[in-house]
Amino acid sequence: FQEEGIEVPRALASGPSAFIPAKEDILIESFLSLGRVDHLTMVMALHPSYLSCFLRIQHALFELDGPLPRDWRHYVSAAARHHCSYMVQQHSKAFLEAGGEESWLSGIKHAPVKLRSLHTLNKLLAHRPWLITQQHIQELVCAGAEPRWSLAELIHAVILMAHTHSLCSFVWGCGLNPEPDHIGGYAFHPPSPAHEDGRQELVDGAVEVEVLMKRMVELQQQQEEECTQEEMVTRFERERSESIPTAVVRGAPPELVLCLVEEPEFRYEDFAPRGEQSPPIMRAQDYSWEDHGFSLVQRLLPDMGQFLDEEFQVVSNLTYNRMAMHEDVDTYTLRKALWNYIHCLYGIRYDDYDYGSVNVLLERSLKVFVKTMACHPEQTTASTYHAFWRHFRHSEKVHANLIVMGARLQAALLYTLRSITAYIK
């Protein structure tokens, strides 16, 4: 996964599928447009090809002409479902700079009724998107709704909310510190205490890499073996219902976050807790981004479908053919297992994928981190970050975070877009 030694064209990109600029060019462009290079950009710069398309999406969502006013775009994105002070402060500042009313930031009750009407959809998008139905869409866009959302406005708002929720996962997952002008931005953050058994951890980490390498090779050799559809479904259900504990709950978030959250007690719950009746599974063959979601977004919000598709393609195909201390490694099976595991947590099944691979490639500490980051990002801690892939570089863990972020974004969008499609029909 590592970024070292990768050569990319030194040309600034301006739209989907443009040449990928070098890391230095991207950082200079970011500095010139924003006046600084924020922590989010610096961490993403470990992977220039992804950062390039991410910045284009950010520009399209917040700066280009669109159905929503610019201050509304940032207010919607300041939604604090995951108690992410970093994102709330970034978008609150941008909201004011775009001419937004300062009183809106003191509580959602001060915002227009039309914005407040997004509350239910926003909380479901953030925590349980599989519960989104055609009825939720109808309540916002039908002729009797007051105030009414157009489909173009709604799809813009949905993408902004889902984009922000997934970014919260990345911020928590990478442990980003506050910006200098944020609350706590100049506070001293002591380093994590050193482990007394650090040498043994290095040895154990190296062994884990060798075991993972061996398993990847074995899986690639077994791909030709036939597996019945019944067994494929059984393996999916086994992964979906597996009990994976998440980290401890943090203390209460700061007031600037709490005042922008309604129903803060509404959180993620397992798609189908063991022993309980599950909602209907979304089969990727019935509704997918490639065959359905892309064209709908492209029709309602021109060019945004292309931008999102580029992001999904880049994060899915991103590889440097390296893993820890090994080179010339095909990491496809590992990247695919991460992506499909996150979709599995969200109740999305690929009929042609063997979910036994997930259990083989993703050891338990990695599953704990991935589930925490994708479903309860506010509970992510330094210990959950350091517990997995102990012999991997930070750039490789950031790569894993990008995969989690992209898969989570696509899963949330798919459930909402499916409901919009049903409403249109």
Side-chain angles (χ1 to χ4, degrees), residues 399-417:
H399 188 176
N401 282 333
L402 293 177
I403 293 173
V404 175
M405 181 173 70
R408 178 193 172 170
L409 171 62
Q410 189 180 91
L413 286 178
L414 282 174
Y415 280 108
T416 315
L417 295 174

Side-chain angles (χ1 to χ4, degrees), residues 99-246:
E101 289 283 342
E102 188 172 2
S103 62
W104 296 9
L105 297 177
S106 62
I108 295 177
K109 62 183 179 181
H110 299 293
V113 174
K114 186 171 181 177
L115 279 173
R116 299 206 307 270
S117 69
L118 290 174
H119 164 65
T120 298
L121 187 60
N122 184 44
K123 75 175 184 180
L124 292 178
L125 261 175
H127 304 294
R128 305 175 209 170
W130 52 87
L131 297 181
I132 295 172
T133 65
Q134 178 182 341
Q135 181 66 28
H136 293 114
I137 306 302
Q138 186 171 331
E139 290 172 355
L140 293 168
V141 302
C142 72
E146 186 59 42
R148 179 185 179 189
W149 286 80
S150 71
L151 281 174
E153 290 175 329
L154 183 61
I155 200 69
H156 196 176
V158 164
I159 295 172
L160 284 166
M161 291 187 290
H163 177 75
T164 301
H165 299 154
S166 64
L167 266 179
C168 289
S169 287
F170 185 82
V171 170
W172 282 118
C174 292
L176 296 190
N177 287 326
E179 296 295 331
D181 56 344
H182 285 182
I183 295 174
Y186 284 105
F188 172 68
H189 299 280
S192 301
H195 294 288
E196 294 182 2
D197 57 345
R199 183 182 297 272
Q200 184 59 45
E201 282 200 359
L202 286 175
V203 173
D204 293 344
V207 172
E208 290 172 357
V209 174
E210 299 304 326
V211 170
L212 179 56
M213 286 282 294
K214 181 180 179 182
R215 289 177 175 177
M216 289 170 63
V217 171
E218 290 174 348
L219 275 178
Q220 290 167 352
Q221 294 173 344
Q222 294 170 6
Q223 284 181 349
E224 296 180 0
E225 295 182 8
E226 289 291 332
C227 184
T228 66
Q229 191 61 39
E230 290 76 10
E231 177 61 23
M232 300 272 267
V233 172
T234 299
R235 292 176 182 179
F236 170 82
E237 293 295 335
R238 189 181 299 134
E239 285 300 327
R240 182 174 61 83
S241 60
E242 182 182 14
S243 177
I244 299 291
T246 50

Side-chain angles (χ1 to χ4, degrees), residues 133-384:
T133 65
Q134 178 182 341
Q135 181 66 28
H136 293 114
I137 306 302
Q138 186 171 331
E139 290 172 355
L140 293 168
V141 302
C142 72
E146 186 59 42
R148 179 185 179 189
W149 286 80
S150 71
L151 281 174
E153 290 175 329
L154 183 61
I155 200 69
H156 196 176
V158 164
I159 295 172
L160 284 166
M161 291 187 290
H163 177 75
T164 301
H165 299 154
S166 64
L167 266 179
C168 289
S169 287
F170 185 82
V171 170
W172 282 118
C174 292
L176 296 190
N177 287 326
E179 296 295 331
D181 56 344
H182 285 182
I183 295 174
Y186 284 105
F188 172 68
H189 299 280
S192 301
H195 294 288
E196 294 182 2
D197 57 345
R199 183 182 297 272
Q200 184 59 45
E201 282 200 359
L202 286 175
V203 173
D204 293 344
V207 172
E208 290 172 357
V209 174
E210 299 304 326
V211 170
L212 179 56
M213 286 282 294
K214 181 180 179 182
R215 289 177 175 177
M216 289 170 63
V217 171
E218 290 174 348
L219 275 178
Q220 290 167 352
Q221 294 173 344
Q222 294 170 6
Q223 284 181 349
E224 296 180 0
E225 295 182 8
E226 289 291 332
C227 184
T228 66
Q229 191 61 39
E230 290 76 10
E231 177 61 23
M232 300 272 267
V233 172
T234 299
R235 292 176 182 179
F236 170 82
E237 293 295 335
R238 189 181 299 134
E239 285 300 327
R240 182 174 61 83
S241 60
E242 182 182 14
S243 177
I244 299 291
T246 50
V248 295
V249 178
R250 294 175 180 268
E255 182 60 31
L256 66 90
V257 171
L258 279 178
C259 67
L260 294 175
V261 181
E262 290 183 325
E263 294 184 75
E265 71 282 357
F266 188 88
R267 300 289 183 85
Y268 171 88
E269 289 184 359
D270 284 344
F271 177 79
R274 189 182 295 273
E276 297 185 16
Q277 182 66 35
S278 65
I281 295 293
M282 177 187 280
R283 296 174 66 247
Q285 284 70 14
D286 295 335
Y287 199 93
S288 68
W289 168 256
E290 295 80 6
D291 296 332
H292 308 90
F294 169 78
S295 58
L296 179 62
V297 173
Q298 195 71 356
R299 176 157 60 95
L300 295 176
L301 201 61
D303 293 332
M304 186 51 63
Q306 192 67 39
F307 282 115
L308 285 169
D309 191 62
E310 180 191 26
E311 178 182 11
F312 296 143
Q313 290 289 335
V314 168
V315 77
S316 296
N317 297 323
L318 185 62
T319 182
Y320 306 106
N321 297 312
R322 296 184 180 184
M323 197 173 76
M325 59 284 206
H326 294 281
E327 297 191 14
D328 298 321
V329 180
D330 183 355
T331 62
Y332 173 78
T333 55
L334 181 58
R335 290 180 282 119
K336 188 72 171 176
L338 274 170
W339 185 279
N340 285 358
Y341 176 60
I342 295 145
H343 278 197
C344 176
L345 294 174
Y346 278 76
I348 299 174
R349 188 182 80 220
Y350 296 84
D351 288 348
D352 57 353
Y353 182 74
D354 180 2
Y355 287 86
S357 301
V358 171
N359 213 36
V360 171
L361 297 178
L362 308 189
E363 41 91 14
R364 192 166 182 80
S365 61
L366 175 55
K367 283 185 175 181
V368 169
F369 176 79
V370 168
K371 182 174 181 180
T372 303
M373 184 183 159
C375 307
H376 314 269
E378 63 278 6
Q379 297 179 20
T380 308
T381 63
S383 61
T384 55

